[in-house]
Amino acid sequence: MSFLGALREVIALGGPVIAILLVISVLTLGVTFYKIWQFAASGVGRHRMLSEALSAWDAGDRPSAHASLAKSNSYLAPLVRSAMNAQGQPGLDERLDAEAGVALAGLERGFRFLDTVAQIAPLLGLFGTVLGMIEAFQTLQAAGSSVDPSLLAGGIWVALLTTAAGLAVAMPTSMVLAWFESRTARERVFADKALRTVMVPEQGHSAAVSTHA
């Protein structure tokens, strides 16, 4: 049997709920691949050159900091460059925080959809199971006194098929979402540290302490 033939048979057994779950799973797969591409293209988790630039800036080596920053492919590089070039401007902290929030919000786009799928897929599966059980008992009732146990058993396993399909969609979606969220949380911490390093470098802070002393 071909894949499409097997797919049609499963949809015929599970009814419209299986079809809906199939569409949701395809959309979820598309969003997942898009987020993986987006994270890779944005350089999420790959901040080696940016970290070198921040270390040089922290040490007071401005030329090396700018040179390393120019080699960085991180999505945070333009934001850090703006912070380096706009030292002393009033309200700079708030503006940079807002721009960092916008950049991170772009990374989080699609999370709401994945979260919704992880929550609604099991409910859809359960809904399909309830409908299937109703149909199975209706068949059992229509059989009257000539009840064949195989009728009930067959109806029950077909009904449970939708629950299995719902869980099969929800569990990997939940795992993928947790992975994306953990990566984004680390990015948020790194972005905050990067901006604070540029705004208050260790070398400048040490000089200020020495002056006041």
Side-chain angles (χ1 to χ4, degrees):
M1 181 182 294
S2 66
F3 173 75
L4 291 178
L7 193 60
R8 281 194 293 266
E9 183 176 345
V10 171
I11 293 175
L13 285 173
V17 173
I18 288 291
I20 293 172
L21 287 171
L22 180 61
V23 172
I24 289 176
S25 65
V26 171
L27 292 175
T28 301
L29 196 61
V31 171
T32 300
F33 281 131
Y34 167 73
K35 296 306 296 182
I36 291 174
W37 171 84
Q38 182 190 27
F39 275 40
S42 300
V44 171
R46 301 196 308 270
H47 302 300
R48 186 175 64 85
M49 297 307 301
L50 182 57
S51 296
E52 290 183 6
L54 293 172
S55 297
W57 182 272
D58 214 18
D61 189 354
R62 301 297 188 258
S64 295
H66 285 287
S68 297
L69 186 61
K71 300 175 184 177
S72 174
N73 294 322
S74 170
Y75 68 99
L76 290 172
L79 190 60
V80 172
R81 185 177 296 108
S82 298
M84 289 180 175
N85 294 333
Q87 291 289 299
Q89 289 189 6
L92 182 61
D93 284 356
E94 291 79 4
R95 178 176 178 180
L96 291 175
D97 286 341
E99 291 182 1
V102 171
L104 291 168
L107 293 179
E108 293 174 344
R109 189 177 298 116
F111 286 7
R112 183 71 61 86
F113 172 78
L114 295 176
D115 183 56
T116 301
V117 169
Q119 294 185 45
I120 202 174
L123 297 178
L124 278 173
L126 182 60
F127 178 64
T129 295
V130 171
L131 293 179
M133 293 295 290
I134 291 173
E135 184 178 351
F137 282 113
Q138 284 178 337
T139 302
L140 191 63
Q141 181 184 24
S145 58
S146 57
V147 176
D148 184 357
S150 64
L151 290 176
L152 183 60
I156 290 176
W157 83 260
V158 169
L160 291 176
L161 181 65
T162 59
T163 296
L167 293 174
V169 173
M171 288 188 293
T173 301
S174 181
M175 293 175 61
V176 167
L177 177 60
W179 183 73
F180 282 141
E181 287 179 337
S182 66
R183 295 290 300 274
T184 307
R186 289 197 295 269
E187 289 299 302
R188 193 177 299 278
V189 172
F190 181 83
D192 185 64
K193 178 180 181 298
L195 293 179
R196 295 298 171 263
T197 299
V198 174
M199 299 304 299
V200 188
E202 180 66 27
Q203 192 238 16
H205 178 68
S206 300
V209 171
S210 300
T211 301
H212 287 297

